[in-house]
Amino acid sequence: MQTAEIRRRWLDYFGDRGHTVVPSASLVSDDPSLLFTVAGMVPFIPYLTGLVPTPYPRATSVQKCIRTNDIEEVGKTPRHGTFFQMNGNFSFGDYFKEEAIGYAWELLTSSEEAGGLAFDPADLWVTVYEEDDEAIALWKKIAGLPDERIQRLGKDTNYWHTGQPGPAGPCSEIFFDRGPAFGADGGPATDDDRYVEIWNLVFMQYQIENVRSKVDFDIVRELPNKNIDTGMGLERVAFLKQGVDNMYEIDQVRPVLDKAAELSGRRYGAVHDDDVRMRVIADHVRSSLMLMSDGVRPSNEGRGYILRRLLRRTVRSMRLLGVEGATFPQLFPESRDAMKSAYPEVETDFDRISRLAYAEEETFLRTLAAGTTILDEAVVTTRASSTGATPRLAGDTAFLLHDTFGFPIDLTLEIAAENGLDVDRSAFDSLMSEQRARAKADAKSRKVALADLSVYSDFRAKGETVFTGYDVLDTPTRVLGIIVDGVSADRAVAGDIAEVILAETSLYAESGGQDADAGTIVGAGFDLEVLDVQKPVKGLISHRVQVRSGEVGVGDSATSVVDPVYRRGATQAHSATHLIHAALREVLGPEAHQAGSYNKAGYMRLDFNWNQALSPATRGEIEEIANNAIRDDLPVVTRELALDEARSMGAMALFGEKYGETVRMVDIGGPWSRELCAGTHVGSSSQVGLINLISETSVGSTNRRVESLVGLDAFREFASERAIVAQLTSSLRAPREQLADRVGDLVANLKSAEKRIAEFERAQLSTRVPALLETATTIGDLTVVAQTVGALRSTDDLRSLVTSVRERLGSHSASVVALAADVSGKPAVIVATTESARGAGARAGQLAKGAAAVLGGGGGGKDDLAQGGGSDVGAIPQALAGIVAALRG
């Protein structure tokens, strides 16, 4: 039975029994605490927890899921996959245990002719929570299961909760017995691969509090409305119904595995390690395909990093199979063809998906070539210098590979392990933390975390917040709720920072790339400054405010007031984003598709799919087209219509965005710019004013970013540049049209002068060599020069001085030269050794590293020449003394 057929039977079965068939949500989860949709019930959590009113009493879905917490197990077990599909049926206070168990047993054991899955009841076992006698009685009544095939297990496996106060309840799981060939007898309690879990039924019936651990919490009451949440693993059922040994061999996955075998010339089933690698490839290609179809792009952060890791592990596995060239152009089409019947978007979007994947592979192959060479050298060096049982690769080496070459730490760990090495992970993590701290040192944000989502449930139950800001800037309304320090409160007083929930609001909440409105909320006796506006849960708008004066209470009448100047600038910027996007596509073609944006009053940035820098001429053309659209005063028309209708009209949707059945479509100049967008916009294009495209940069191997100033900010930037040009024409005594040549001449003269100065300084340096030679001392058989040379312009000068002294000492003598200098306010030390000194045990890299530690920094290098640096110039004498002491030792 094909995977798509199992999926169809599931949806038909529950659809025929009154369940609303809900399409799969995106792999990109709405839950801010999750990177991905990790389980079939995730999209339904707001309904199951009562946070959002349920739109239907019962539902069913086949949900796309991604989990990478067990990524190391992929390929090694029959059931671990990073992408999987979870069939679910849900009841929101409608039916409970008896119906849920009855549905599960009927669908599993009914004949294929009757629309069932035709499992033999004799092969099925169930587990229940050890105290759930009700479930046991129902399994005996409905399924006729004997006692020996119903096993009681504890809270660690058969009790569900979110880890937070809220709904919870016992679970009952259904297992398929694969037979004695796959393991020991004894049922699911043996935790053996012989027994495969195929269905989990969660009976959500209690309210819990004081959650101390997975198994330690307080049950405070029964829920007034008991819920059902079930999940059947589609891939697990597929491999059982298709008679294969694991999920990697089912019809939706096996084609990629076979292609990997073909490309490598190795036979699947011949060598265990090769089999694992082929399964990893098959799993990761499919997961990557599905992630990119939902708008995720490779990057170094968050979801993009997970995707990048999957892609790079695929490349690495192919290399371990002996294939060193690009393989994605062969692998990804296989996965597309296997998945397109269930998810047509992987075919319609394949041009975009394949561009991302192929470019990522090309980039990583170059990374591998550079990084592997360095890592191989480090492995050899580590082994040679190690005295422990397990050699340990230095953390700074792993960090260099990551920071300079883009070599992911997990790949370094894998390669090190293959070579019998550990990695100093704590040192690596420390260096990464320091880097993040530096990156964030200057970053300031007015965003503050919203309250725990559970606090919004009562407010959301009163209905959706009505947004009026498309039509008016001021809206009379009522205060529905106040949150102070994450807790619902009756009022907030002057000086408080609080969240305010209104029945209606004209203030735009940050979304779709547009920043939140600036403004106020006022009423009789209070004045609130709006600091931020967000949508913490679907359908609810929360205003983060500071109470400037007075006291505001729940139930008070209020008016939301948008700052008109800010809103005007925000609408200009958002419409400018659409104009730039249309201009990009006109110049570069339809593949230059938006991949993210941000706009606020006076400024916009737009990321788009493209893999090379734009020439100045192309940038100028895009800017001119956008400004011509402003000049032409194109009409801006917004309409609300059905999603399918908007798409049939050619409306562009942003990959990764989520759209409801009814959408808002924004036209600028008719079909020239037609996008789905919930932001605020100008009435006609001329109101944008002016666009000044100020930069175009890379934000990844397949994405570029343009930034523009808009409206008055754009004019001010042009005025500033005009003032600079006027100043230069005056200072250089040259007309504007000759400025470029005049500046070019000055730069050329400056470089020539700098070259002459450098030659003079090098000549001066050589005169210092005799004096340094006179400081030479003898330590055992070594001749040692260890001196500070004061301030120098560069480490190149210091290196030149060190090597000159070493040459004068003679290559046949056992000599060590260690010189330190103040280079632009930072200490630097360089150590050089002769061959005879190295034969006596003197290693420049070790000496420089020890000196750098004294200087408050890091260092190292080869045995013959190495350098270090730091932050404490005053520690130079101690650093040199440390080198001398090390040589004496």
Side-chain angles (χ1 to χ4, degrees):
M1 187 179 292
Q2 298 292 289
T3 307
E5 175 63 14
I6 300 170
R7 180 178 186 270
R8 184 193 65 78
R9 287 174 180 249
W10 175 277
L11 295 175
D12 286 350
Y13 177 86
F14 284 103
D16 290 343
R17 286 154 181 80
H19 292 67
T20 298
V21 177
V22 180
S24 174
S26 170
L27 286 168
V28 178
S29 174
D30 282 332
D31 188 332
S33 66
L34 297 173
L35 285 177
F36 297 116
T37 301
V38 296
M41 50 81 70
V42 167
F44 298 96
I45 287 178
Y47 309 143
L48 292 168
T49 59
L51 186 63
V52 175
T54 57
Y56 24 67
R58 53 176 70 183
T60 186
S61 68
V62 177
Q63 175 60 48
K64 300 177 292 185
C65 303
I66 285 280
R67 285 185 199 166
T68 57
N69 53 319
D70 291 330
I71 194 170
E72 301 301 333
E73 298 302 312
V74 171
K76 299 175 183 176
T77 74
R79 62 187 187 277
H80 278 97
T82 52
F83 173 84
F84 59 97
Q85 299 158 88
M86 188 60 69
N87 298 1
N89 62 287
F90 306 89
S91 166
F92 310 107
D94 185 11
Y95 61 82
F96 201 49
K97 287 185 187 179
E98 183 166 4
E99 293 88 342
I101 291 173
Y103 287 147
W105 190 255
E106 182 180 29
L107 178 57
L108 283 175
T109 61
S110 293
S111 68
E112 292 186 9
E113 293 75 15
L117 298 175
F119 280 98
D120 186 341
D123 293 330
L124 301 177
W125 292 62
V126 299
T127 64
V128 297
Y129 174 52
E130 57 193 356
E131 299 178 11
D132 193 357
D133 294 332
E134 179 187 8
I136 291 175
L138 287 170
W139 277 115
K140 291 181 178 180
K141 170 187 171 183
I142 295 168
L145 286 174
D147 288 339
E148 62 267 21
R149 283 198 281 129
I150 304 174
Q151 295 186 321
R152 295 177 184 260
L153 298 177
K155 287 180 180 177
D156 57 333
T157 59
N158 278 63
Y159 209 96
W160 177 89
H161 59 85
T162 65
Q164 301 293 328
C171 306
S172 183
E173 298 173 329
I174 307 172
F175 290 78
F176 177 82
D177 180 3
R178 303 170 73 197
F182 293 93
D185 198 3
T190 62
D191 195 26
D192 194 282
D193 283 341
R194 169 175 171 173
Y195 300 92
V196 179
E197 178 199 337
I198 56 175
W199 200 322
N200 184 19
L201 299 91
V202 176
F203 309 126
M204 212 173 295
Q205 62 188 109
Y206 298 113
Q207 176 78 23
I208 63 170
E209 293 183 358
N210 304 319
V211 182
R212 294 170 288 276
S213 72
K214 179 176 175 59
V215 298
D216 187 13
F217 47 82
D218 297 333
I219 299 175
V220 294
R221 64 183 176 91
E222 285 205 357
L223 293 173
N225 293 315
K226 298 178 175 62
N227 299 327
I228 287 292
D229 156 28
T230 83
M232 184 183 83
L234 181 55
E235 281 78 8
R236 295 187 183 193
V237 171
F239 87 72
L240 295 174
K241 292 300 295 178
Q242 292 173 22
V244 295
D245 289 340
N246 53 65
M247 65 163 287
Y248 314 103
E249 298 175 15
I250 66 173
D251 59 298
Q252 287 187 345
V253 186
R254 181 66 187 249
V256 180
L257 188 154
D258 289 339
K259 179 59 70 171
E262 176 189 328
L263 293 172
S264 65
R266 305 190 186 191
R267 183 173 63 85
Y268 180 67
V271 179
H272 173 72
D273 287 349
D274 287 350
D275 289 353
V276 170
R277 289 161 186 153
M278 292 179 198
R279 294 172 194 153
V280 167
I281 292 162
D283 171 84
H284 287 8
V285 166
R286 185 171 76 141
S287 298
S288 300
L289 174 80
M290 299 309 296
L291 282 171
M292 288 186 285
S293 75
D294 273 351
V296 181
R297 305 186 308 277
S299 71
N300 289 328
E301 294 180 339
R303 300 179 182 95
Y305 175 74
I306 300 297
L307 171 59
R308 174 161 284 169
R309 186 182 184 197
L310 292 168
L311 292 168
R312 291 184 170 189
R313 280 173 58 90
T314 303
V315 174
R316 170 75 176 148
S317 295
M318 286 301 302
R319 285 173 68 90
L320 291 173
L321 290 173
V323 183
E324 300 203 352
T327 61
F328 285 3
Q330 290 77 42
L331 296 175
F332 270 82
E334 296 288 340
S335 190
R336 173 201 62 198
D337 293 343
M339 296 300 295
K340 66 184 181 183
S341 62
Y343 303 100
E345 61 269 22
V346 302
E347 182 173 35
T348 56
D349 291 345
F350 192 70
D351 284 347
R352 176 184 61 85
I353 294 168
S354 60
R355 269 199 316 274
L356 288 171
Y358 302 167
E360 184 70 14
E361 182 180 36
E362 291 173 6
T363 300
F364 188 52
L365 287 173
R366 292 193 295 269
T367 294
L368 273 176
T372 302
T373 300
I374 293 173
L375 185 52
D376 288 345
E377 292 177 358
V379 167
V380 172
T381 303
T382 301
R383 280 178 167 166
S385 61
S386 176
T387 57
T390 303
R392 171 166 285 195
L393 189 72
D396 55 0
T397 300
F399 179 74
L400 172 71
L401 286 164
H402 169 84
D403 194 48
T404 304
F405 295 95
F407 215 71
I409 182 60
D410 54 280
L411 190 54
T412 299
L413 292 169
E414 287 182 14
I415 295 175
E418 289 166 5
N419 287 275
L421 272 67
D422 285 339
V423 176
D424 189 345
R425 185 62 190 265
S426 60
F428 172 84
D429 289 341
S430 177
L431 290 167
M432 284 295 295
S433 296
E434 292 174 11
Q435 184 192 60
R436 292 190 191 102
R438 288 193 299 271
K440 294 178 180 178
D442 296 328
K444 296 180 180 179
S445 175
R446 63 187 177 91
K447 306 295 182 190
V448 174
L450 295 165
D452 188 315
L453 293 182
S454 62
V455 78
Y456 300 107
S457 58
D458 290 340
F459 307 134
R460 181 61 183 81
K462 297 174 183 177
E464 295 192 13
T465 309
V466 178
F467 177 64
T468 62
Y470 292 133
D471 304 311
V472 296
L473 298 184
D474 300 355
T475 295
T477 184
R478 183 168 54 88
V479 177
L480 295 182
I482 296 173
I483 301 169
V484 179
D485 296 330
V487 178
S488 182
D490 291 333
R491 58 193 58 255
V493 300
D496 281 353
I497 301 289
E499 288 181 60
V500 171
I501 313 296
L502 302 176
E504 303 88 14
T505 182
S506 53
L507 290 150
Y508 185 83
E510 179 182 6
S511 60
Q514 182 174 330
D515 208 353
D517 269 335
T520 58
I521 299 172
V522 296
F526 63 85
D527 181 358
L528 317 179
E529 179 187 2
V530 176
L531 306 176
D532 193 14
V533 191
Q534 294 290 326
K535 296 178 180 177
V537 298
K538 185 177 180 180
L540 188 74
I541 295 176
S542 174
H543 309 76
R544 185 168 172 270
V545 303
Q546 181 167 30
V547 184
R548 292 196 291 206
S549 64
E551 179 179 297
V552 60
V554 174
D556 286 353
S557 295
T559 301
S560 63
V561 181
V562 177
D563 180 335
V565 175
Y566 186 89
R567 170 63 77 81
R568 186 183 307 116
T571 59
Q572 288 176 313
H574 204 150
S575 296
T577 306
H578 287 222
L579 296 178
I580 289 287
H581 189 201
L584 278 166
R585 293 169 62 80
E586 182 174 323
V587 174
L588 303 178
E591 61 269 25
H593 197 291
Q594 181 177 341
S597 66
Y598 172 73
N599 50 77
K600 61 180 181 178
Y603 167 85
M604 60 131 294
R605 71 167 184 250
L606 184 143
D607 297 346
F608 61 100
N609 300 138
W610 201 250
N611 59 5
Q612 59 186 0
L614 304 184
S615 68
T618 301
R619 284 178 53 181
E621 184 179 1
I622 291 165
E623 184 179 58
E624 183 175 357
I625 290 172
N627 280 297
N628 283 343
I630 295 173
R631 177 203 62 194
D632 293 342
D633 195 23
L634 302 175
V636 178
V637 179
T638 61
R639 285 176 282 175
E640 288 194 357
L641 63 169
L643 177 59
D644 290 342
E645 183 183 355
R647 283 178 167 161
S648 69
M649 296 174 66
M652 297 192 61
L654 178 62
F655 290 110
E657 276 296 312
K658 300 172 181 63
Y659 301 97
E661 294 181 3
T662 301
V663 295
R664 188 166 181 266
M665 187 172 74
V666 179
D667 288 356
I668 304 179
W672 182 69
S673 171
R674 176 170 288 165
E675 301 190 28
L676 302 183
C677 181
T680 62
H681 288 273
V682 296
S684 64
S685 63
S686 63
Q687 293 174 10
V688 171
L690 183 64
I691 291 176
N692 179 0
L693 204 161
I694 56 175
S695 76
E696 187 270 336
T697 56
S698 170
V699 285
S701 58
T702 59
N703 288 294
R704 307 292 298 179
R705 170 175 292 172
V706 290
E707 296 178 273
S708 294
L709 297 177
V710 182
L712 191 56
D713 289 77
F715 170 77
R716 287 171 178 151
E717 179 70 10
F718 281 128
S720 175
E721 292 175 355
R722 182 177 60 191
I724 292 171
V725 169
Q727 184 178 358
L728 287 173
T729 57
S730 175
S731 299
L732 300 179
R733 302 179 185 279
R736 186 177 64 179
E737 58 272 14
Q738 295 179 10
L739 272 183
D741 292 339
R742 183 77 175 102
V743 171
D745 291 342
L746 290 173
V747 170
N749 291 337
L750 179 60
K751 287 182 177 179
S752 177
E754 288 175 341
K755 183 178 180 181
R756 291 194 299 272
I757 291 171
E759 291 171 350
F760 174 77
E761 289 181 342
R762 280 195 293 272
Q764 287 295 102
L765 279 176
S766 65
T767 64
R768 302 181 65 175
V769 172
L772 289 170
L773 290 170
E774 291 178 4
T775 69
T777 59
T778 301
I779 299 176
D781 295 330
L782 297 174
T783 300
V784 178
V785 174
Q787 294 292 318
T788 179
V789 295
L792 294 177
R793 289 182 56 185
S794 69
T795 53
D796 289 341
D797 289 343
L798 182 60
R799 186 179 296 104
S800 175
L801 198 53
V802 168
T803 54
S804 294
V805 173
R806 180 176 63 178
E807 289 172 4
R808 292 286 293 275
L809 287 171
S811 60
H812 299 295
S813 65
S815 304
V816 177
V817 181
L819 301 182
D822 176 341
V823 178
S824 302
K826 299 286 186 180
V829 61
I830 295 182
V831 182
T833 62
T834 61
E835 184 176 355
S836 298
R838 293 191 291 278
R843 300 284 185 268
Q846 294 176 356
L847 294 171
K849 186 174 182 179
V854 177
L855 296 173
K862 297 182 179 180
D863 290 346
D864 63 329
L865 186 66
Q867 76 179 59
S871 56
D872 187 0
V873 173
I876 285 178
Q878 295 96 310
L880 292 171
I883 291 175
V884 172
L887 293 172
R888 291 187 189 282

